[in-house]
Amino acid sequence: MTSWKRDFASGLIVLAPILVTLYVLYWLFSLIARFSLLATNVDDPVVAVSLTVVIFVLLVFSVGYLMRTALGTFAEEVLDDLINRLPGLRIVYNASKMAVETVLSGGADEFQKPVKVEPWDGMRLTAFKTGKTTTDGREVVFMPTAPNITSGFVMELEPEDIIEVEESTEDALTRVLSAGFGENERDVPEQFTDDE
């Protein structure tokens, strides 16, 4: 690789993630500012967004405190029953509720454990344990698609069909999110790491 191509690639590797991160932050800021209840009353968008975030955090704590009471438990049961009567929304509601409960209950550590599965001979794919098992003893794993990890396949596999790996969650997610281009240098074959 010529010198100018290497310099351009190195600069792109550094700048692209920064620009993407800044864009995501800008998008989140714009989204909060657009839906902010205070945006119409406060001229400065930074103040409006800050107040919205503070109010949201206070609301979360207030609802959490209410859930410790009998009234909160009753209100949650009524809300669950009401939403479970709505055909389309109940799927979204229950899936998001289960995801939040899994993350906050500590099940996220098990969910984030990367493994390999071999759907066909010679083809290994990255998946993640969910910590759940079926009634017949199969383990439930989630195999995300690359680079969009919010979609994928939920698979029920026999424990012996799951290949345990000595890999961190960060390394596995980096590989999936980068569509395979985010391998760590230690995983790249020697012929591809020369410094010429």
Side-chain angles (χ1 to χ4, degrees):
M1 184 183 285
T2 59
S3 176
W4 71 269
K5 287 182 182 176
R6 183 175 306 203
D7 291 344
F8 182 80
S10 297
L12 196 59
I13 288 170
V14 171
L15 283 179
I18 294 172
L19 292 174
V20 169
T21 304
L22 289 174
Y23 178 77
V24 169
L25 289 174
Y26 170 76
W27 178 79
L28 285 173
F29 181 86
S30 301
L31 187 69
I32 294 172
R34 187 173 44 211
F35 292 108
S36 170
L37 298 174
L38 302 171
T40 54
N41 300 328
V42 179
D43 294 331
D44 187 1
V46 175
V47 174
V49 169
S50 301
L51 285 173
T52 302
V53 170
V54 168
I55 289 172
F56 177 74
V57 169
L58 290 174
L59 179 66
V60 169
F61 275 114
S62 300
V63 171
Y65 180 76
L66 180 65
M67 288 300 107
R68 294 191 303 180
T69 66
L71 177 63
T73 304
F74 174 74
E76 184 181 17
E77 288 173 3
V78 169
L79 180 64
D80 285 350
D81 185 54
L82 178 66
I83 292 190
N84 281 321
R85 293 172 189 266
L86 304 173
L89 290 178
R90 70 178 174 203
I91 297 171
V92 176
Y93 176 78
N94 288 325
S96 58
K97 184 174 182 178
M98 191 178 302
V100 171
E101 286 175 351
T102 300
V103 169
L104 295 179
S105 67
D109 293 338
E110 186 66 26
F111 173 77
Q112 294 176 354
K113 183 173 173 47
V115 293
K116 299 282 186 189
V117 296
E118 194 169 314
W120 300 282
D121 286 340
M123 174 188 265
R124 288 194 315 180
L125 302 172
T126 300
F128 296 87
K129 282 190 174 183
T130 63
K132 305 291 183 187
T133 54
T134 61
T135 53
D136 60 351
R138 293 174 180 255
E139 290 197 46
V140 180
V141 299
F142 175 69
M143 187 185 70
T145 54
N148 179 13
I149 62 170
T150 59
S151 65
F153 302 94
V154 176
M155 301 182 293
E156 300 173 2
L157 301 172
E158 296 286 352
E160 59 267 18
D161 293 334
I162 297 172
I163 304 166
E164 300 285 342
V165 293
E166 293 297 326
E167 182 178 36
S168 71
T169 304
E170 185 178 349
D171 288 345
L173 282 176
T174 299
R175 183 175 54 260
V176 174
L177 285 167
S178 66
F181 293 102
E183 296 286 347
N184 285 337
E185 213 169 278
R186 65 179 179 271
D187 299 329
V188 179
E190 211 173 283
Q191 67 266 28
F192 299 115
T193 57
D194 59 347
D195 293 327
E196 292 179 5

